[in-house]
Amino acid sequence: MKDLQEQDKQELVQQERGIFNSPLQRRSFLQFAGASAAGIALIAAGCKKDHGTDMPVISGGVTLDFKDDFGVLNYAYALEQLEAAFYIQVASNPPSGFSTIERAYFQDIQFHEIAHREFFKNALSTAAVGSLAVDFSSINFSDRLSVLNAAKAFEDLGVAAYNGAGVRIKSDTYLGLAGKIVSVEARHAAYIRDLITPGSFAASDVIDANGLDQALTPDKVIAAAQKFVKTKINIINL
Amino acid sequence: MNIINIIEEIEKVDGEVYERLSPRRSAMKDFYDMGKKVALAAMPLALGSMFTKAYGQTLPSAVVDTLNFALTLEYLEYHFYNHAVVAAPGLIPTGAPFAAISNIRDHEQAHVNLLKGALGGSAIPAKAYTDFDYTAKGTFGDVYTNYATFLAVAQAFEDTGVRAYKGQAPVLKGMPVLTTALQIHSVEARHAAHIRYMRAGNGVAIKPWISLGPGGSSNDSGVSAADAVYAGENLTVQATINIVGINGNAGITAAAAAECFDEPLAKADVLTIAGLFIR
C-alpha cells in the first residue's frame, strides 16, 4: 500500500505538470493515433480553451471528461487500475482454497491487468488521470468464494464497460485496442464464472435472450465500481 | 431489450431518428403491439423490420457487407453445434458438456436471428447444415465421432469468431450497430474460453486465453491445421508500445504480453478459414 501511495503522489505531480504542456502532448498522442493534421490542430486548440472552462479540478477526485477519446481511454485506465490492484492482492496472497492451477491462472490474469493498466498509462502520457486509491474492504481475500465473486463482478463489469464505451471511440487505433482488450476480459470472466458455477461462463444473468453480452454506459459502470474506489470519480461531458 | 434506450442511442448519431420513424407511425404501432404479444425470441426480427422500414435502403453497403459476413460465420457456428447436439449421439458427454454446447448453440442461433433481423431484405440466403463440410475435406474426418476433434474445431471456430468481429469494429465505428457487434464479440470470447476450459478438462494443455505456442509461435491450440486461425496472435507490441516488461514489470513475459491482447483478423483471412468448411 505504501508503494501505491508513493506512486499516487508521483502521478499527481506528473498530472499537474501535464496541465501546462498538455496541448503539445495531446498533439503527439493524436499523431500516433493516426488523426489528420487539420484535426489535430483543431482538437489541440479546443483543449487549450477547455482547460480554462469546462475542466474543473475537483479536489480529492479524478475527472473523466468524455468529450473526446482521452476521456474514454482514461475511463479504461481507471478500470484497469482497479482490476490490477485487485489481482495483485489476490496473486500475492491467494486464498488457501485455491488450487495450483487457480494460483497460476490468477497470476496470469494479474499480469494481463497490469499490462493493460501500464499500456493506457503510457499511451495517455501526461493526459492520464492519477492513480486511484482502492477500497477492497468488502472482499475477504482469504476466502476463495469471496475472491471469485469479486473477480466475477470486476470482469463482467469490465466487459460491459468496454462494450458500452466502444461506440464513443473516434480513433480506429484505439477502437481496435479496446477490442483487443475486451475479449481478454471476457475470457477472464468466463473462466472465473466456471470456477464459481461450472457452465456459467455465459449464463442468462449476463447474456440476454438475443445472445448479447451486457453493454453499460460509463455512469452506470462508475456507479458500480465506486464502492471499490476511495477516490471520487467524476464524469463530465457524457 | 429496452427499445427506448436503443432509439435514444440511435438519436446520438442520427438526430432525425424520430422523424424517420414518425412518418411510418404504423411501423412503430405494429412494433409496440407486437411487443405485447410475441415471445422475446422474436423481438430482434420485429425490431429489425421496424428499423428497415424507418431507414429503408439507408444502411450503408459497408455495414450490410459486414453484417452479412458476420451472419455467414454465425450460420457456420450454429450448424456446427446444432448437428453435434441433435445428430451425433454419444459425441458430447451428457451433463455439463452437453449443456454447455447446447447453450452455445442457442447463442449462435440467437445471433443468426438478430443479424437476419437487422439486415432484413439485405440478408444473405439462409444456410443449412448441408451447405457446410465440417470435416474440412477430411482434415477433421472424425469431427462428429471424436469428442477431442470436435472440441478442437469448436475452439478454432470461436477464436476465429472473436478475431473476425474485432476486425470489423472500425467499419462500424460510431454506429449503434457497433455496440451490438461488440456484445456478440464478447460472447464469442466467453465461448472460446469455455471451449478451451473443456479441452483442458479433456487432457489438452491449453489456457482459457490465447497464449504462445511452442517456441513462441502464434498457435497455442496444439492443432497445426489451425495455424491460420492464430496467425499474428503472438504480437507483443501494441500501438508502438512494447508490452513485454512494460514499465519495469518483469513478470510480463512474452507469453503474458501475447495473452493480454487478442488480435483481429482481416475479413479475407477469416473467409479463407471459413471457406475450408463451406461446400
Side-chain angles (χ1 to χ4, degrees):
Chain A
M1 286 310 285
K2 200 182 272 178
D3 283 350
L4 272 177
Q5 280 168 355
E6 274 170 23
Q7 207 185 336
D8 215 305
K9 270 182 213 157
Q10 279 177 8
E11 302 216 347
L12 277 173
V13 172
Q14 268 184 13
Q15 201 197 2
E16 276 168 23
R17 225 184 289 134
I19 290 168
F20 296 103
N21 57 14
S22 118
L24 181 66
Q25 290 295 336
R26 290 182 178 212
R27 184 177 294 130
S28 60
F29 175 87
L30 278 167
Q31 269 168 350
F32 157 59
S36 74
I40 292 159
L42 272 173
I43 293 168
C47 289
K48 215 178 271 172
K49 180 176 158 264
D50 290 344
H51 274 296
T53 55
D54 67 344
M55 279 192 68
V57 178
I58 299 168
S59 68
V62 298
T63 298
L64 305 175
D65 184 349
F66 281 92
K67 75 179 190 304
D68 57 25
D69 280 0
F70 298 110
V72 184
L73 297 181
N74 265 317
Y75 170 53
Y77 177 46
L79 293 174
E80 297 293 352
Q81 282 190 47
L82 179 61
E83 286 191 301
F86 169 73
Y87 287 107
I88 287 168
Q89 200 160 330
V90 176
S92 64
N93 193 12
S96 58
F98 264 24
S99 69
T100 306
I101 189 84
E102 286 165 7
R103 284 164 195 254
Y105 282 176
F106 271 74
Q107 285 273 351
D108 274 13
I109 299 174
Q110 169 203 217
F111 288 127
H112 301 166
E113 306 299 2
I114 292 173
H116 294 164
R117 181 191 69 191
E118 297 301 306
F119 168 78
F120 282 117
K121 186 178 174 184
N122 289 11
L124 281 157
S125 183
T126 52
V129 296
S131 292
L132 302 180
V134 297
D135 175 3
F136 294 146
S137 56
S138 60
I139 303 164
N140 179 356
F141 281 90
S142 62
D143 179 67
R144 180 177 178 273
L145 191 58
S146 177
V147 167
L148 292 179
N149 279 328
K152 179 180 93 165
F154 286 133
E155 298 294 350
D156 282 340
L157 188 65
V159 171
Y162 279 102
N163 282 350
V167 75
R168 297 172 183 274
I169 301 176
K170 295 174 183 75
S171 143
D172 280 6
T173 305
Y174 282 96
L175 175 57
L177 278 154
K180 289 174 180 223
I181 292 174
V182 65
S183 55
V184 175
E185 306 291 357
R187 291 173 189 274
H188 295 165
Y191 168 66
I192 289 156
R193 285 178 151 265
D194 278 338
L195 293 182
I196 297 171
T197 307
S200 67
F201 58 101
S204 60
D205 64 313
V206 73
I207 310 300
D208 72 14
N210 295 313
L212 297 181
D213 214 320
Q214 293 182 301
L216 291 175
T217 50
D219 52 333
K220 293 199 171 68
V221 171
I222 294 302
Q226 189 71 63
K227 90 177 230 205
F228 300 106
V229 186
K230 283 197 198 95
T231 312
K232 175 81 176 80
I233 302 173
N234 308 291
I235 293 176
I236 60 172
N237 292 322
L238 196 60
Chain B
M1 179 188 287
N2 186 335
I3 175 67
I4 304 305
N5 278 353
I6 291 171
I7 295 175
E8 281 173 357
E9 284 299 313
I10 293 174
E11 193 191 0
K12 285 179 189 164
V13 291
D14 177 7
E16 293 168 5
V17 61
Y18 293 105
E19 285 162 41
R20 288 184 194 272
L21 288 168
S22 65
R24 294 155 173 96
R25 217 169 282 134
S26 65
M28 281 296 277
K29 188 171 185 306
D30 287 353
F31 178 77
Y32 280 119
D33 288 349
M34 200 187 290
K36 291 174 199 155
K37 293 173 204 156
V38 300
L40 196 57
M43 285 286 278
L45 261 168
L47 192 62
S49 89
M50 183 183 81
F51 285 126
T52 305
K53 281 176 190 164
Y55 281 83
Q57 297 300 309
T58 59
L59 207 54
S61 67
V63 174
V64 169
D65 288 350
T66 287
L67 296 186
N68 270 322
F69 167 63
L71 181 54
T72 302
L73 297 178
E74 297 293 351
Y75 276 125
L76 175 73
E77 289 183 312
Y78 165 71
H79 287 297
F80 173 69
Y81 293 117
N82 190 52
H83 188 80
V85 167
V86 304
L91 173 69
I92 306 163
T94 53
F98 194 86
I101 297 299
S102 301
N103 187 17
I104 294 174
R105 185 270 314 263
D106 293 346
H107 288 158
E108 310 302 5
Q109 171 83 80
H111 297 163
V112 165
N113 291 341
L114 191 68
L115 291 166
K116 265 166 63 179
L119 282 158
S122 303
I124 53 168
K127 292 196 179 296
Y129 170 73
T130 49
D131 290 327
F132 300 105
D133 168 17
Y134 291 106
T135 73
K137 298 184 174 64
T139 306
F140 305 107
D142 57 357
V143 66
Y144 282 126
T145 52
N146 182 333
Y147 182 51
T149 306
F150 171 76
L151 287 181
V153 175
Q155 181 191 311
F157 282 155
E158 296 296 345
D159 281 334
T160 301
V162 173
R163 302 193 69 179
Y165 275 97
K166 205 188 310 294
Q168 293 305 298
V171 178
L172 308 176
K173 189 173 67 176
M175 303 180 200
V177 71
L178 170 68
T179 304
T180 307
L182 288 172
Q183 288 174 282
I184 297 177
H185 169 250
S186 61
V187 172
E188 303 292 347
R190 287 174 188 266
H191 293 170
H194 186 74
I195 296 281
R196 285 167 163 267
Y197 193 61
M198 290 173 82
R199 288 188 78 206
N202 206 37
V204 179
I206 192 95
K207 293 179 176 183
W209 28 90
I210 302 175
S211 192
L212 290 179
S217 67
S218 60
N219 182 0
D220 74 336
S221 72
V223 180
S224 60
D227 276 354
V229 170
Y230 297 98
E233 278 287 4
N234 53 349
L235 192 67
T236 56
V237 175
Q238 300 293 344
T240 75
I241 295 171
N242 184 15
I243 305 301
V244 180
I246 185 169
N247 296 345
N249 287 283
I252 302 175
T253 58
E259 289 166 5
C260 66
F261 289 84
D262 280 347
E263 299 305 319
L265 202 56
K267 191 176 178 179
D269 296 328
V270 174
L271 289 174
T272 301
I273 293 165
L276 301 172
F277 298 92
I278 297 174
R279 287 187 199 277

PDB file of all heavy atoms in Angstrom, chain B residues 93-118:
ATOM      1  N   PRO B  93     -20.283 -35.780 -24.035  1.00  0.00           N
ATOM      2  CA  PRO B  93     -20.715 -36.404 -22.788  1.00  0.00           C
ATOM      3  C   PRO B  93     -21.953 -35.714 -22.219  1.00  0.00           C
ATOM      4  O   PRO B  93     -22.074 -34.480 -22.291  1.00  0.00           O
ATOM      5  CB  PRO B  93     -19.508 -36.222 -21.855  1.00  0.00           C
ATOM      6  CG  PRO B  93     -18.346 -36.060 -22.771  1.00  0.00           C
ATOM      7  CD  PRO B  93     -18.876 -35.367 -23.993  1.00  0.00           C
ATOM      8  N   THR B  94     -22.859 -36.503 -21.674  1.00  0.00           N
ATOM      9  CA  THR B  94     -24.066 -35.923 -21.081  1.00  0.00           C
ATOM     10  C   THR B  94     -23.679 -35.136 -19.833  1.00  0.00           C
ATOM     11  O   THR B  94     -22.584 -35.284 -19.299  1.00  0.00           O
ATOM     12  CB  THR B  94     -25.074 -37.024 -20.704  1.00  0.00           C
ATOM     13  OG1 THR B  94     -24.397 -37.984 -19.893  1.00  0.00           O
ATOM     14  CG2 THR B  94     -25.636 -37.708 -21.942  1.00  0.00           C
ATOM     15  N   GLY B  95     -24.595 -34.316 -19.382  1.00  0.00           N
ATOM     16  CA  GLY B  95     -24.327 -33.485 -18.206  1.00  0.00           C
ATOM     17  C   GLY B  95     -23.763 -32.140 -18.624  1.00  0.00           C
ATOM     18  O   GLY B  95     -24.212 -31.557 -19.619  1.00  0.00           O
ATOM     19  N   ALA B  96     -22.751 -31.675 -17.884  1.00  0.00           N
ATOM     20  CA  ALA B  96     -22.230 -30.318 -18.089  1.00  0.00           C
ATOM     21  C   ALA B  96     -21.742 -30.076 -19.531  1.00  0.00           C
ATOM     22  O   ALA B  96     -22.066 -29.029 -20.109  1.00  0.00           O
ATOM     23  CB  ALA B  96     -21.120 -30.017 -17.097  1.00  0.00           C
ATOM     24  N   PRO B  97     -20.982 -31.007 -20.141  1.00  0.00           N
ATOM     25  CA  PRO B  97     -20.513 -30.725 -21.505  1.00  0.00           C
ATOM     26  C   PRO B  97     -21.669 -30.544 -22.501  1.00  0.00           C
ATOM     27  O   PRO B  97     -21.666 -29.593 -23.302  1.00  0.00           O
ATOM     28  CB  PRO B  97     -19.668 -31.959 -21.852  1.00  0.00           C
ATOM     29  CG  PRO B  97     -19.237 -32.501 -20.532  1.00  0.00           C
ATOM     30  CD  PRO B  97     -20.389 -32.243 -19.609  1.00  0.00           C
ATOM     31  N   PHE B  98     -22.654 -31.440 -22.411  1.00  0.00           N
ATOM     32  CA  PHE B  98     -23.777 -31.333 -23.349  1.00  0.00           C
ATOM     33  C   PHE B  98     -24.564 -30.038 -23.115  1.00  0.00           C
ATOM     34  O   PHE B  98     -24.970 -29.356 -24.061  1.00  0.00           O
ATOM     35  CB  PHE B  98     -24.702 -32.558 -23.204  1.00  0.00           C
ATOM     36  CG  PHE B  98     -25.682 -32.705 -24.335  1.00  0.00           C
ATOM     37  CD1 PHE B  98     -25.334 -33.361 -25.508  1.00  0.00           C
ATOM     38  CD2 PHE B  98     -26.973 -32.166 -24.235  1.00  0.00           C
ATOM     39  CE1 PHE B  98     -26.231 -33.475 -26.562  1.00  0.00           C
ATOM     40  CE2 PHE B  98     -27.879 -32.273 -25.281  1.00  0.00           C
ATOM     41  CZ  PHE B  98     -27.510 -32.935 -26.452  1.00  0.00           C
ATOM     42  N   ALA B  99     -24.730 -29.695 -21.863  1.00  0.00           N
ATOM     43  CA  ALA B  99     -25.453 -28.457 -21.532  1.00  0.00           C
ATOM     44  C   ALA B  99     -24.701 -27.236 -22.072  1.00  0.00           C
ATOM     45  O   ALA B  99     -25.312 -26.297 -22.606  1.00  0.00           O
ATOM     46  CB  ALA B  99     -25.637 -28.342 -20.025  1.00  0.00           C
ATOM     47  N   ALA B 100     -23.371 -27.258 -21.955  1.00  0.00           N
ATOM     48  CA  ALA B 100     -22.578 -26.110 -22.411  1.00  0.00           C
ATOM     49  C   ALA B 100     -22.665 -25.955 -23.929  1.00  0.00           C
ATOM     50  O   ALA B 100     -22.858 -24.842 -24.434  1.00  0.00           O
ATOM     51  CB  ALA B 100     -21.116 -26.277 -21.984  1.00  0.00           C
ATOM     52  N   ILE B 101     -22.526 -27.076 -24.646  1.00  0.00           N
ATOM     53  CA  ILE B 101     -22.579 -26.995 -26.109  1.00  0.00           C
ATOM     54  C   ILE B 101     -23.976 -26.574 -26.568  1.00  0.00           C
ATOM     55  O   ILE B 101     -24.117 -25.785 -27.511  1.00  0.00           O
ATOM     56  CB  ILE B 101     -22.162 -28.347 -26.740  1.00  0.00           C
ATOM     57  CG1 ILE B 101     -20.704 -28.679 -26.384  1.00  0.00           C
ATOM     58  CG2 ILE B 101     -22.366 -28.316 -28.260  1.00  0.00           C
ATOM     59  CD1 ILE B 101     -19.665 -27.670 -26.869  1.00  0.00           C
ATOM     60  N   SER B 102     -25.014 -27.063 -25.873  1.00  0.00           N
ATOM     61  CA  SER B 102     -26.382 -26.650 -26.215  1.00  0.00           C
ATOM     62  C   SER B 102     -26.568 -25.153 -25.986  1.00  0.00           C
ATOM     63  O   SER B 102     -27.204 -24.459 -26.792  1.00  0.00           O
ATOM     64  CB  SER B 102     -27.399 -27.425 -25.373  1.00  0.00           C
ATOM     65  OG  SER B 102     -27.256 -28.798 -25.582  1.00  0.00           O
ATOM     66  N   ASN B 103     -26.009 -24.667 -24.892  1.00  0.00           N
ATOM     67  CA  ASN B 103     -26.101 -23.244 -24.557  1.00  0.00           C
ATOM     68  C   ASN B 103     -25.409 -22.398 -25.636  1.00  0.00           C
ATOM     69  O   ASN B 103     -25.951 -21.385 -26.101  1.00  0.00           O
ATOM     70  CB  ASN B 103     -25.436 -23.032 -23.180  1.00  0.00           C
ATOM     71  CG  ASN B 103     -25.611 -21.630 -22.638  1.00  0.00           C
ATOM     72  OD1 ASN B 103     -26.455 -20.866 -23.091  1.00  0.00           O
ATOM     73  ND2 ASN B 103     -24.785 -21.276 -21.660  1.00  0.00           N
ATOM     74  N   ILE B 104     -24.230 -22.846 -26.049  1.00  0.00           N
ATOM     75  CA  ILE B 104     -23.501 -22.118 -27.090  1.00  0.00           C
ATOM     76  C   ILE B 104     -24.297 -22.163 -28.398  1.00  0.00           C
ATOM     77  O   ILE B 104     -24.437 -21.147 -29.093  1.00  0.00           O
ATOM     78  CB  ILE B 104     -22.076 -22.699 -27.266  1.00  0.00           C
ATOM     79  CG1 ILE B 104     -21.240 -22.450 -25.999  1.00  0.00           C
ATOM     80  CG2 ILE B 104     -21.381 -22.109 -28.489  1.00  0.00           C
ATOM     81  CD1 ILE B 104     -19.865 -23.113 -25.997  1.00  0.00           C
ATOM     82  N   ARG B 105     -24.820 -23.334 -28.724  1.00  0.00           N
ATOM     83  CA  ARG B 105     -25.661 -23.468 -29.931  1.00  0.00           C
ATOM     84  C   ARG B 105     -26.807 -22.452 -29.910  1.00  0.00           C
ATOM     85  O   ARG B 105     -27.093 -21.786 -30.923  1.00  0.00           O
ATOM     86  CB  ARG B 105     -26.200 -24.914 -30.001  1.00  0.00           C
ATOM     87  CG  ARG B 105     -27.002 -25.265 -31.265  1.00  0.00           C
ATOM     88  CD  ARG B 105     -28.508 -25.001 -31.164  1.00  0.00           C
ATOM     89  NE  ARG B 105     -29.146 -25.461 -29.951  1.00  0.00           N
ATOM     90  CZ  ARG B 105     -29.801 -26.618 -29.835  1.00  0.00           C
ATOM     91  NH1 ARG B 105     -29.876 -27.438 -30.873  1.00  0.00           N
ATOM     92  NH2 ARG B 105     -30.390 -26.941 -28.690  1.00  0.00           N
ATOM     93  N   ASP B 106     -27.455 -22.341 -28.747  1.00  0.00           N
ATOM     94  CA  ASP B 106     -28.576 -21.404 -28.628  1.00  0.00           C
ATOM     95  C   ASP B 106     -28.129 -19.952 -28.851  1.00  0.00           C
ATOM     96  O   ASP B 106     -28.859 -19.158 -29.458  1.00  0.00           O
ATOM     97  CB  ASP B 106     -29.235 -21.535 -27.248  1.00  0.00           C
ATOM     98  CG  ASP B 106     -29.925 -22.879 -27.070  1.00  0.00           C
ATOM     99  OD1 ASP B 106     -30.115 -23.593 -28.079  1.00  0.00           O
ATOM    100  OD2 ASP B 106     -30.257 -23.228 -25.918  1.00  0.00           O
ATOM    101  N   HIS B 107     -26.966 -19.615 -28.354  1.00  0.00           N
ATOM    102  CA  HIS B 107     -26.457 -18.247 -28.567  1.00  0.00           C
ATOM    103  C   HIS B 107     -26.204 -18.001 -30.056  1.00  0.00           C
ATOM    104  O   HIS B 107     -26.514 -16.922 -30.573  1.00  0.00           O
ATOM    105  CB  HIS B 107     -25.151 -18.018 -27.797  1.00  0.00           C
ATOM    106  CG  HIS B 107     -25.342 -17.922 -26.320  1.00  0.00           C
ATOM    107  ND1 HIS B 107     -24.329 -18.163 -25.423  1.00  0.00           N
ATOM    108  CD2 HIS B 107     -26.436 -17.613 -25.577  1.00  0.00           C
ATOM    109  CE1 HIS B 107     -24.795 -18.004 -24.189  1.00  0.00           C
ATOM    110  NE2 HIS B 107     -26.064 -17.678 -24.258  1.00  0.00           N
ATOM    111  N   GLU B 108     -25.633 -18.996 -30.738  1.00  0.00           N
ATOM    112  CA  GLU B 108     -25.345 -18.809 -32.166  1.00  0.00           C
ATOM    113  C   GLU B 108     -26.650 -18.657 -32.953  1.00  0.00           C
ATOM    114  O   GLU B 108     -26.741 -17.851 -33.883  1.00  0.00           O
ATOM    115  CB  GLU B 108     -24.519 -19.979 -32.728  1.00  0.00           C
ATOM    116  CG  GLU B 108     -23.268 -20.371 -31.926  1.00  0.00           C
ATOM    117  CD  GLU B 108     -22.228 -19.280 -31.727  1.00  0.00           C
ATOM    118  OE1 GLU B 108     -22.452 -18.124 -32.129  1.00  0.00           O
ATOM    119  OE2 GLU B 108     -21.162 -19.591 -31.137  1.00  0.00           O
ATOM    120  N   GLN B 109     -27.653 -19.422 -32.538  1.00  0.00           N
ATOM    121  CA  GLN B 109     -28.973 -19.288 -33.174  1.00  0.00           C
ATOM    122  C   GLN B 109     -29.520 -17.878 -32.950  1.00  0.00           C
ATOM    123  O   GLN B 109     -30.050 -17.246 -33.878  1.00  0.00           O
ATOM    124  CB  GLN B 109     -29.927 -20.327 -32.581  1.00  0.00           C
ATOM    125  CG  GLN B 109     -31.380 -20.157 -32.991  1.00  0.00           C
ATOM    126  CD  GLN B 109     -31.691 -20.780 -34.328  1.00  0.00           C
ATOM    127  OE1 GLN B 109     -31.876 -21.987 -34.419  1.00  0.00           O
ATOM    128  NE2 GLN B 109     -31.713 -19.984 -35.387  1.00  0.00           N
ATOM    129  N   ALA B 110     -29.372 -17.381 -31.731  1.00  0.00           N
ATOM    130  CA  ALA B 110     -29.853 -16.033 -31.416  1.00  0.00           C
ATOM    131  C   ALA B 110     -29.105 -14.987 -32.244  1.00  0.00           C
ATOM    132  O   ALA B 110     -29.701 -14.010 -32.725  1.00  0.00           O
ATOM    133  CB  ALA B 110     -29.694 -15.757 -29.925  1.00  0.00           C
ATOM    134  N   HIS B 111     -27.811 -15.196 -32.436  1.00  0.00           N
ATOM    135  CA  HIS B 111     -27.028 -14.254 -33.244  1.00  0.00           C
ATOM    136  C   HIS B 111     -27.486 -14.277 -34.700  1.00  0.00           C
ATOM    137  O   HIS B 111     -27.582 -13.231 -35.351  1.00  0.00           O
ATOM    138  CB  HIS B 111     -25.523 -14.583 -33.161  1.00  0.00           C
ATOM    139  CG  HIS B 111     -24.947 -14.450 -31.787  1.00  0.00           C
ATOM    140  ND1 HIS B 111     -23.744 -14.998 -31.414  1.00  0.00           N
ATOM    141  CD2 HIS B 111     -25.423 -13.810 -30.679  1.00  0.00           C
ATOM    142  CE1 HIS B 111     -23.495 -14.718 -30.140  1.00  0.00           C
ATOM    143  NE2 HIS B 111     -24.506 -13.996 -29.674  1.00  0.00           N
ATOM    144  N   VAL B 112     -27.757 -15.480 -35.209  1.00  0.00           N
ATOM    145  CA  VAL B 112     -28.275 -15.590 -36.586  1.00  0.00           C
ATOM    146  C   VAL B 112     -29.568 -14.783 -36.702  1.00  0.00           C
ATOM    147  O   VAL B 112     -29.738 -13.960 -37.619  1.00  0.00           O
ATOM    148  CB  VAL B 112     -28.519 -17.077 -36.963  1.00  0.00           C
ATOM    149  CG1 VAL B 112     -29.387 -17.178 -38.223  1.00  0.00           C
ATOM    150  CG2 VAL B 112     -27.193 -17.809 -37.167  1.00  0.00           C
ATOM    151  N   ASN B 113     -30.471 -14.995 -35.756  1.00  0.00           N
ATOM    152  CA  ASN B 113     -31.771 -14.296 -35.823  1.00  0.00           C
ATOM    153  C   ASN B 113     -31.611 -12.788 -35.714  1.00  0.00           C
ATOM    154  O   ASN B 113     -32.277 -12.025 -36.417  1.00  0.00           O
ATOM    155  CB  ASN B 113     -32.693 -14.802 -34.703  1.00  0.00           C
ATOM    156  CG  ASN B 113     -33.130 -16.231 -34.938  1.00  0.00           C
ATOM    157  OD1 ASN B 113     -33.061 -16.734 -36.068  1.00  0.00           O
ATOM    158  ND2 ASN B 113     -33.566 -16.900 -33.892  1.00  0.00           N
ATOM    159  N   LEU B 114     -30.726 -12.379 -34.832  1.00  0.00           N
ATOM    160  CA  LEU B 114     -30.504 -10.948 -34.621  1.00  0.00           C
ATOM    161  C   LEU B 114     -29.961 -10.291 -35.894  1.00  0.00           C
ATOM    162  O   LEU B 114     -30.453  -9.243 -36.328  1.00  0.00           O
ATOM    163  CB  LEU B 114     -29.521 -10.767 -33.475  1.00  0.00           C
ATOM    164  CG  LEU B 114     -29.331  -9.380 -32.909  1.00  0.00           C
ATOM    165  CD1 LEU B 114     -30.590  -8.933 -32.188  1.00  0.00           C
ATOM    166  CD2 LEU B 114     -28.157  -9.355 -31.937  1.00  0.00           C
ATOM    167  N   LEU B 115     -28.960 -10.928 -36.498  1.00  0.00           N
ATOM    168  CA  LEU B 115     -28.348 -10.354 -37.703  1.00  0.00           C
ATOM    169  C   LEU B 115     -29.320 -10.382 -38.870  1.00  0.00           C
ATOM    170  O   LEU B 115     -29.403  -9.426 -39.643  1.00  0.00           O
ATOM    171  CB  LEU B 115     -27.056 -11.111 -38.045  1.00  0.00           C
ATOM    172  CG  LEU B 115     -25.912 -10.905 -37.047  1.00  0.00           C
ATOM    173  CD1 LEU B 115     -24.807 -11.937 -37.250  1.00  0.00           C
ATOM    174  CD2 LEU B 115     -25.345  -9.491 -37.149  1.00  0.00           C
ATOM    175  N   LYS B 116     -30.058 -11.475 -39.005  1.00  0.00           N
ATOM    176  CA  LYS B 116     -31.073 -11.549 -40.061  1.00  0.00           C
ATOM    177  C   LYS B 116     -32.083 -10.422 -39.901  1.00  0.00           C
ATOM    178  O   LYS B 116     -32.481  -9.773 -40.867  1.00  0.00           O
ATOM    179  CB  LYS B 116     -31.814 -12.896 -40.004  1.00  0.00           C
ATOM    180  CG  LYS B 116     -31.242 -13.938 -40.941  1.00  0.00           C
ATOM    181  CD  LYS B 116     -31.753 -15.333 -40.625  1.00  0.00           C
ATOM    182  CE  LYS B 116     -33.259 -15.487 -40.792  1.00  0.00           C
ATOM    183  NZ  LYS B 116     -33.667 -16.895 -40.493  1.00  0.00           N
ATOM    184  N   GLY B 117     -32.507 -10.208 -38.656  1.00  0.00           N
ATOM    185  CA  GLY B 117     -33.484  -9.155 -38.385  1.00  0.00           C
ATOM    186  C   GLY B 117     -32.937  -7.786 -38.727  1.00  0.00           C
ATOM    187  O   GLY B 117     -33.631  -6.950 -39.307  1.00  0.00           O
ATOM    188  N   ALA B 118     -31.668  -7.549 -38.385  1.00  0.00           N
ATOM    189  CA  ALA B 118     -31.062  -6.241 -38.647  1.00  0.00           C
ATOM    190  C   ALA B 118     -30.881  -6.020 -40.138  1.00  0.00           C
ATOM    191  O   ALA B 118     -31.028  -4.904 -40.624  1.00  0.00           O
ATOM    192  CB  ALA B 118     -29.716  -6.145 -37.931  1.00  0.00           C
TER     193      ALA B 118
END
